[in-house]
Amino acid sequence: MIKAGIIGATGYAGAELVRILAGHKQVEIIWLGSRSYIDQAYASVYQNMFKIIEGTCLDDNLDELVSQADVVFTATPQGFLASVMKEEYLRKAKFIDLSADYRLKDVGIYEQWYRIEHKSPQFLDEAVYGLCEINREQVKGARLVANPGCYTTCSILTAYPLVKEGLIDPDTLIIDAKSGTSGAGRGAKANNLFCEVNENIKAYGIASHRHTPEIEEQLGYAAGHNITVSFTPHLVPMNRGILAAEYAALVKNPDGSLPGEEQIRKAYQKYYENETFIRLLEPDVYPETKWVEGSNFVDINFKIDKRTGRIIMLGALDNLVKGAAGAAVQNMNLLFGIKETEGLEMVPLFP
């Protein structure tokens, strides 16, 4: 059995990790870390875990945890893991960090967008960006995995094949994304109160959202050069889910024609046909958040706009599963050489 410890187990992403790992056949949860609920029974915080999870919440003592665990999940705010990480820890356990601390390779960009000092930049080069469908082989040999952000996972996977194949101009890419309120975390914030969110939709982080450089970096690798995208997130009054609508100019073929439906579909199939968790939908069937809720699936489709010479790409996922905890478990499975889908074959919930 893989012994897993979770720091930040009582946040939304941490609780989703607990839910998924509780059904994983090859994992034993040995540590439930939570500064807010130390010595409280975990099931008293999340009553859905009554008679399922018997443990109590502990502190975030990594010195003790890494001596017991094979893998440590850190579902913590930005800056936590970077402030405490040591080489000694990485020699003892694998780390999967759900924050942004090791996602960006340029420490200056991290500090610019997150507005905090990075305390352990010496580990940035070895950290592997844990988007399994793109970096599967690199993840397998990693000690430190940077779990992708929820918006970024949806945004990158929706456009990746077309950027990689040069079918769109990535510098024209506009990403318009909507997320449920759980993406903002469990902390008490006035902007996330029911009366503030209900019957409302709003854009935020306009031209400044911190997932922007992450999207640009990863799609830049696909393009083979630095790119600039426009990314605007929106908050919608639902618990879970992300829908990304992405727009870009098509690149003409050598004969001067625009790529057609068949050419675009073949590009998606080239990269995703054998991916369990990416579902390329049938023509004229478009992603909806309700069809991926509670699952590790990403649904993707597209529509060519011949009138404008652009393409509309659409992607949907559950921000707490494929956008956070599910991806983390997928990374763990790769790290330990077990079936990648183990513990993750949940059928989407409906209604």
Side-chain angles (χ1 to χ4, degrees), residues 317-335:
L317 54 70
D318 185 316
N319 57 291
L320 292 179
V321 188
K322 184 58 174 170
V329 173
Q330 196 175 345
N331 278 308
M332 181 200 69
N333 290 342
L334 288 172
L335 287 174

Side-chain angles (χ1 to χ4, degrees), residues 36-70:
S36 302
Y37 298 96
I38 293 173
D39 293 331
Q40 285 188 231
Y42 189 79
S44 72
V45 181
Y46 285 104
Q47 189 69 20
N48 59 318
M49 292 298 170
F50 181 60
K51 291 189 177 290
I52 297 172
I53 299 296
E54 301 294 340
T56 59
C57 297
L58 306 172
D59 62 12
D60 52 15
N61 186 341
L62 279 171
D63 287 325
E64 186 176 350
L65 173 55
V66 295
S67 298
Q68 302 176 22
D70 301 307

Side-chain angles (χ1 to χ4, degrees), residues 192-211:
N192 294 337
L193 294 173
F194 178 82
C195 289
E196 305 289 333
V197 174
N198 189 45
E199 298 295 336
N200 188 41
I201 179 170
K202 66 177 180 179
Y204 65 99
I206 301 169
S208 63
H209 194 277
R210 56 196 187 182
H211 281 179

Side-chain angles (χ1 to χ4, degrees), residues 37-345:
Y37 298 96
I38 293 173
D39 293 331
Q40 285 188 231
Y42 189 79
S44 72
V45 181
Y46 285 104
Q47 189 69 20
N48 59 318
M49 292 298 170
F50 181 60
K51 291 189 177 290
I52 297 172
I53 299 296
E54 301 294 340
T56 59
C57 297
L58 306 172
D59 62 12
D60 52 15
N61 186 341
L62 279 171
D63 287 325
E64 186 176 350
L65 173 55
V66 295
S67 298
Q68 302 176 22
D70 301 307
V71 61
V72 176
F73 295 94
T74 47
T76 49
Q78 329 300 336
F80 169 80
L81 188 59
S83 70
V84 298
M85 180 57 81
K86 303 175 185 177
E87 173 63 29
E88 175 190 351
Y89 292 163
L90 291 173
R91 287 198 297 264
K92 292 182 177 180
K94 306 277 191 182
F95 275 76
I96 300 172
D97 182 33
L98 278 71
S99 83
D101 284 359
Y102 298 100
R103 294 176 190 162
L104 297 166
K105 293 301 182 186
D106 187 324
V107 68
I109 292 176
Y110 172 88
E111 292 178 347
Q112 174 191 344
W113 287 81
Y114 286 87
R115 300 181 182 179
I116 55 176
E117 179 186 356
H118 199 296
K119 297 294 182 65
S120 55
Q122 68 270 27
F123 298 115
L124 288 174
D125 284 344
E126 79 159 282
V128 174
Y129 189 75
L131 193 50
C132 301
E133 288 76 11
I134 294 173
N135 292 330
R136 180 171 284 112
E137 294 308 312
Q138 297 96 308
V139 169
K140 289 179 181 178
R143 301 190 301 172
L144 173 59
V145 175
N147 212 60
C150 51
Y151 275 127
T152 51
T153 296
C154 196
S155 300
I156 293 165
L157 290 176
T158 299
Y160 179 83
L162 306 192
V163 174
K164 187 74 173 175
E165 292 296 302
L167 293 171
I168 60 173
D169 177 356
D171 286 318
T172 68
L173 184 60
I174 297 170
I175 302 169
D176 181 294
K178 280 87 174 173
S179 174
T181 58
S182 60
R186 196 168 182 240
K189 303 167 189 173
N191 288 342
N192 294 337
L193 294 173
F194 178 82
C195 289
E196 305 289 333
V197 174
N198 189 45
E199 298 295 336
N200 188 41
I201 179 170
K202 66 177 180 179
Y204 65 99
I206 301 169
S208 63
H209 194 277
R210 56 196 187 182
H211 281 179
T212 305
E214 190 180 332
I215 297 167
E216 291 178 339
E217 182 171 299
Q218 296 303 317
L219 288 181
Y221 294 148
H225 56 81
N226 292 337
I227 68 168
T228 303
V229 306
S230 294
F231 171 63
T232 305
H234 300 73
L235 186 67
V236 295
M238 61 184 188
N239 291 336
R240 295 168 177 255
I242 286 178
L243 179 71
E246 309 187 21
Y247 310 85
L250 290 163
V251 174
K252 290 182 178 179
N253 292 315
D255 64 3
S257 65
L258 288 174
E261 166 91 20
E262 184 178 359
Q263 188 177 357
I264 297 293
R265 189 160 290 275
K266 282 183 177 178
Y268 276 108
Q269 290 171 339
K270 176 180 177 180
Y271 291 92
Y272 296 155
E273 191 169 35
N274 296 318
E275 292 294 343
T276 301
F277 296 121
I278 298 183
R279 303 192 296 190
L280 182 61
L281 304 182
E282 296 297 322
D284 298 317
V285 177
Y286 300 107
E288 300 181 36
T289 57
K290 69 181 178 181
W291 301 130
V292 293
E293 185 173 352
S295 80
N296 204 50
F297 289 114
V298 184
D299 284 359
I300 295 173
N301 215 341
F302 63 91
K303 184 75 173 181
I304 295 171
D305 186 348
K306 294 179 181 178
R307 184 180 65 86
T308 62
R310 298 175 69 86
I311 187 169
I312 301 122
M313 300 153 280
L314 296 148
L317 54 70
D318 185 316
N319 57 291
L320 292 179
V321 188
K322 184 58 174 170
V329 173
Q330 196 175 345
N331 278 308
M332 181 200 69
N333 290 342
L334 288 172
L335 287 174
F336 289 90
I338 60 181
K339 185 181 176 184
E340 188 174 332
T341 59
E342 177 59 45
L344 294 169
E345 296 176 291

